[in-house]
Amino acid sequence: MTKDPAVIVLAERWFRLLVRAYPASFREEMGDAMVEAFRDRARDAHRQSGAISVLKLCVSATVDTIRNGPGEHLRPASLWPRSGEWRRLARIGLTGDDLRQDVRYSIRVLL
């Protein structure tokens, strides 16, 4: 396997720092997969457009972490509604209304 360019190595280090904004339980479950996916995206970006694209990817990942990291502490993905759990979640105060509100907000942010 060939050695990654320095910009990709630095980008991965930056992303590993960003992942620390998420709760420890989330990092244990998803951290390695997130880093691997980021590394793959950084390699593709570098291959297609060079270091500037990798920098843009880092900025995008930083913004994403600022948006999602604190929210994961407040409402972990492990509590997100899954099939068959709607009644249990409604009893603890998480309903479909919350999900609809989150989807609407996500759409607004993306547009």
Side-chain angles (χ1 to χ4, degrees):
M1 183 165 200
T2 62
K3 187 175 177 181
D4 285 326
V7 68
I8 293 175
V9 173
L10 290 173
E12 182 180 336
R13 286 182 187 166
W14 175 248
F15 189 75
R16 285 183 185 278
L17 286 173
L18 293 177
V19 170
R20 299 193 75 175
Y22 291 89
S25 60
F26 183 88
R27 290 192 313 262
E28 288 171 11
E29 185 175 338
M30 303 295 296
D32 290 339
M34 290 173 62
V35 170
E36 185 177 337
F38 179 82
R39 186 183 320 116
D40 291 343
R41 289 185 65 194
R43 286 175 179 154
D44 290 343
H46 188 267
R47 208 174 300 119
Q48 291 176 1
S49 304
I52 295 297
S53 289
V54 177
L55 179 61
K56 288 178 183 178
L57 180 62
C58 288
V59 169
S60 175
T62 302
V63 169
D64 185 60
T65 300
I66 290 169
R67 286 184 182 163
N68 295 315
E72 189 62 30
H73 284 277
L74 298 173
R75 186 171 171 208
S78 61
L79 294 178
W80 290 2
R82 308 256 195 275
S83 62
E85 295 184 17
W86 288 97
R87 286 190 182 147
R88 182 186 66 79
L89 292 171
R91 275 186 262 136
I92 63 171
L94 297 175
T95 64
D97 292 333
D98 295 325
L99 179 60
R100 280 190 291 277
Q101 182 179 359
D102 290 347
V103 169
R104 283 194 304 258
Y105 175 75
S106 298
I107 291 170
R108 281 197 315 267
V109 168
L110 290 172
L111 300 175

